[in-house]
Amino acid sequence: MVELKETIQDLIKRKKSLLAFNIQNIWQLEALYETSNLLSLPVMAQFSSKYINYFDGHFDFKRLISKYQNNKVFFHLDHSNNSSIIQFCIDCGFASVMYDGSYEHVSINIDNSNKFYKYADNKSLLEVEIGSIGGVEDGFGSGNLNYYNDSELVIFAKNAKFDLLALGIGNLHGEYNDVNRVKIELLEHSNQLIGKVPLVLHGGTGLPDDMIFKAIDYVVVKINISTSLKAETAKLISNFYNTEKYYDEMKLSMNVKEGLANYFTPFILKFTK
């Protein structure tokens, strides 16, 4: 947690951002870890709530954290409103967790945010959200998006305790049909309303670079990438099966990890270096 907090402050000073990739299999995690070590640049391996029991049951999160989390690779729980899962991830040693109370009344969002912030107790950073992100990701979300409400944001920022804040600005999970619905200027407006708190941009897949760089100017220190990684992983696996006559687990693993490293590298160099 301390290393992540220091990393965030360094990113703010350098006007850069941490890329948070939604991990779905061990190949992705290993490739991200190896790429981060090779580049000596920070990344975030984030896990959707629905994958927590899967990864813990198959690989044991405490063992994964011991092996893969360091001062450059940070584990993060993505959208969750499940108390048991949030507390489990904090207890395991995740560098940060997200409580998503954006669909609740602002008073409930505040109360729950404060509860999880207290439970984290300087062990994990807490990400929260105001204004819902569109689309459904890994079973979480309603498919609806909305822009944050000024008065709710001010009330929330004044009364809630948190480390990172995700804002609904027309962004969504999945693929964009129209990026013009994403109002990056609302990030600047939030800076004016509540000051320059560390912000998170969900739905990074498909946004043009100039829009992302502008978001970073407005103190976005974490950018979530999920759909793009899923598509790239599917392509790499499909290419293997289309070119190989026989199944070879070790060869498949090597090919996919090599391809993912080539995928991760330009993202990280572009927005984090």
Side-chain angles (χ1 to χ4, degrees):
M1 187 277 291
V2 173
E3 287 88 352
L4 178 54
K5 186 171 285 189
E6 291 174 348
T7 296
I8 288 171
Q9 292 306 311
D10 176 65
L11 291 168
I12 291 173
K13 290 178 184 177
R14 296 193 296 113
K15 289 197 171 182
K16 298 294 181 179
S17 190
L18 190 67
L19 293 178
F21 296 96
N22 282 72
I23 300 299
Q24 291 185 300
N25 62 45
I26 199 67
W27 295 332
Q28 293 171 339
L29 179 58
E30 290 177 347
L32 185 61
Y33 173 81
E34 292 169 6
T35 303
S36 173
N37 285 345
L38 182 64
L39 299 175
S40 192
L41 289 169
V43 297
M44 186 166 277
Q46 69 178 18
F47 299 83
S48 296
S49 186
K50 68 178 278 188
Y51 279 93
I52 297 302
N53 289 334
Y54 167 80
F55 269 91
D56 191 53
H58 285 78
F59 304 105
D60 181 359
F61 259 120
K62 288 187 177 181
R63 186 184 71 82
L64 291 176
I65 287 171
S66 175
K67 184 175 182 179
Y68 295 108
Q69 183 167 255
N70 54 30
N71 63 352
K72 287 287 190 294
V73 180
F74 303 103
F75 277 38
H76 174 78
L77 169 66
D78 201 9
H79 296 272
S80 184
N81 54 16
N82 185 306
S83 295
S84 296
I85 289 177
I86 293 172
Q87 292 172 0
F88 169 81
C89 291
I90 293 171
D91 293 340
C92 275
F94 275 51
S96 60
V97 296
M98 180 183 185
Y99 161 65
D100 184 352
S102 60
Y103 298 99
E104 303 285 358
H105 187 276
V106 66
S107 61
I108 297 175
N109 196 354
I110 290 169
D111 288 345
N112 287 337
S113 296
N114 289 339
K115 178 183 74 173
F116 291 121
Y117 186 88
K118 182 178 180 180
Y119 189 89
D121 190 28
N122 292 321
K123 293 177 290 188
S124 303
L125 298 189
L126 178 67
E127 178 183 334
V128 293
E129 184 174 318
I130 288 288
S132 59
I133 311 301
V136 177
E137 179 178 68
D138 295 333
F140 195 96
S142 70
N144 298 318
L145 65 83
N146 64 56
Y147 303 96
Y148 71 79
N149 175 279
D150 284 11
S151 60
E152 284 191 357
L153 176 59
V154 171
I155 292 169
F156 184 86
K158 182 178 180 180
N159 294 283
K161 294 183 178 180
F162 57 89
D163 300 289
L164 297 161
L165 177 62
L167 295 174
I169 58 169
N171 45 332
L172 58 82
H173 301 124
E175 297 180 353
Y176 290 94
N177 293 321
D178 182 9
V179 296
N180 291 320
R181 296 184 67 183
V182 181
K183 306 299 183 184
I184 294 295
E185 62 270 19
L186 288 177
L187 298 175
E188 181 183 24
H189 184 56
S190 77
N191 293 169
Q192 297 165 353
L193 287 174
I194 62 172
K196 293 187 175 182
V197 303
L199 299 177
V200 179
L201 179 63
H202 286 247
T205 296
L207 292 180
D209 289 354
D210 62 338
M211 189 175 283
I212 294 177
F213 283 122
K214 187 176 290 185
I216 293 173
D217 284 340
Y218 302 139
V219 207
V220 165
V221 296
K222 175 174 175 277
I223 300 167
N224 289 9
I225 306 290
S226 179
T227 303
S228 173
L229 176 56
K230 292 173 183 175
E232 183 67 19
T233 304
K235 184 182 77 174
L236 290 167
I237 294 173
S238 177
N239 288 344
F240 176 85
Y241 285 118
N242 288 334
T243 56
E244 297 293 325
K245 183 177 180 180
Y246 299 109
Y247 181 80
D248 184 324
E249 176 74 15
M250 292 180 65
K251 190 173 183 180
L252 172 61
S253 173
M254 181 182 66
N255 285 5
V256 171
K257 285 166 54 177
E258 182 179 326
L260 289 172
N262 292 333
Y263 162 85
F264 288 132
T265 298
F267 268 112
I268 298 169
L269 290 176
K270 186 184 298 182
F271 299 114
T272 308
K273 185 176 178 180

